[in-house]
Amino acid sequence: MGRGERALVLGGGGVTGVAWELGLLTGLADAGLDLGDAEVVIGTSAGSVVGAQLTSGTPLETLYQRQLAPPHGEIAAAIGKRAVLTMARSALTSPDVRAARRRIGRMALAARTGPEAERRKVIESRLTSTEWPRERRLLVTAVDAHTGGFAAFHSGNGAQLVDAVAASCAVPGVWPCVTIGGRQWMDGGVRSSANADLAHGFRRVVVIAPLPLHTPLMPGPHQQADRLRRDGARVTVITPDGRAREAMGRNALDPAKRADAARAGREQAPAIARLVNDVWRGTRS
């Protein structure tokens, strides 16, 4: 990644994760903390949607209010038992991380999902701009469903923003893989729920993680944050508090929970504003 001052990492967490992240960011802005001034925004799955919105120039309050509106155009879904079982078996029995991702990719490619074009329309409807940002660097993560390889799409590698975000949100077994550059891509959360290690080289890092998952083959945001700290960065990882977890519910893909999740994120922000400020703007020791 190179060196820089501030990086914002936005992790995966479904429709409710998008809402909670935007609520939290809006609440932090209420407290005078605009995390949108990060030099790089790293988005995975839900975080890619938030990252694209945050760097679009649209006011946070507008983005927040959109989460409170009825979720027209969104499709309710849930991760099926077969997908969960495949991912669990892959993590436990595959010889290495690439083999585990390839196994998940085979399941994702074989799954009966809706057409890629229809899913693209849903993703496009979530975004307030379909152009890559010019003022901020945005990285959108995805995993190659065939090879298990990892990519961080950005404005300079030819992918359209809508396609990159759709790929990053392509939950295996739920949504179709997305074609970019002749390859088929799935959710960046297959590698890590936040991919916070992409912030290596930045001095101040805030990680917002709706689902801070961790397995032996999929490092979570807390583990990646520890590595960043060992390398000299100031890092904080923000996860949903009890009220937010209740509001988000058990199914992260349920649009009916979106408004409650957004409100809970905004309500949580004052309690963590000082902690975030110490990392984002505090005097380095």
Side-chain angles (χ1 to χ4, degrees), residues 76-102:
I79 301 177
K81 292 182 179 179
R82 180 183 177 186
V84 172
L85 185 60
T86 297
M87 287 186 276
R89 285 178 174 171
S90 299
L92 293 173
T93 63
S94 299
D96 56 52
V97 292
R98 290 286 288 266
R101 294 177 206 155
R102 287 195 297 270

Side-chain angles (χ1 to χ4, degrees), residues 6-7 21 45 49 51 54 60 62 69 81 84 105 127 134 147 152 157 211 216 219 232 234 258 262 271 285:
R6 296 181 180 88
E21 288 184 26
S45 200
V49 176
L54 183 66
L60 264 173
T62 300
K81 292 182 179 179
V84 172
L127 305 185
R134 295 182 179 181
T147 69
N157 60 9
L211 291 175
R234 296 182 71 170
R258 190 174 76 176
S285 58

Side-chain angles (χ1 to χ4, degrees), residues 258-269:
R258 190 174 76 176
D260 286 344
R263 293 188 187 99
R266 195 167 194 170
E267 291 168 5
Q268 182 180 348

Side-chain angles (χ1 to χ4, degrees), residues 217-283:
L217 294 181
M218 187 181 78
H222 291 289
Q223 291 71 34
Q224 292 177 330
D226 286 342
R227 176 62 184 270
L228 294 173
R229 292 187 188 102
R230 289 195 295 270
D231 291 338
R234 296 182 71 170
V235 188
T236 188
V237 179
I238 307 300
T239 60
D241 60 12
R243 164 75 181 90
R245 290 194 298 272
E246 181 180 358
M248 295 164 79
R250 295 184 177 182
N251 179 12
L253 302 180
D254 183 2
K257 295 288 188 179
R258 190 174 76 176
D260 286 344
R263 293 188 187 99
R266 195 167 194 170
E267 291 168 5
Q268 182 180 348
I272 51 94
R274 178 176 293 183
L275 173 63
V276 174
N277 183 72
D278 286 347
V279 169
W280 204 246
R281 306 208 185 283
T283 302

Side-chain angles (χ1 to χ4, degrees), residues 12 19 22 34 41 66 72 77 96 101 104 113 121 128 141 145 173 179 192 205 211 216 237 244:
L22 283 170
D34 179 10
V41 176
R66 281 164 55 99
H72 300 309
D96 56 52
R101 294 177 206 155
I104 295 170
T113 59
K121 290 179 181 178
T128 52
T141 68
T179 305
S192 165
V205 183
L211 291 175
V237 179

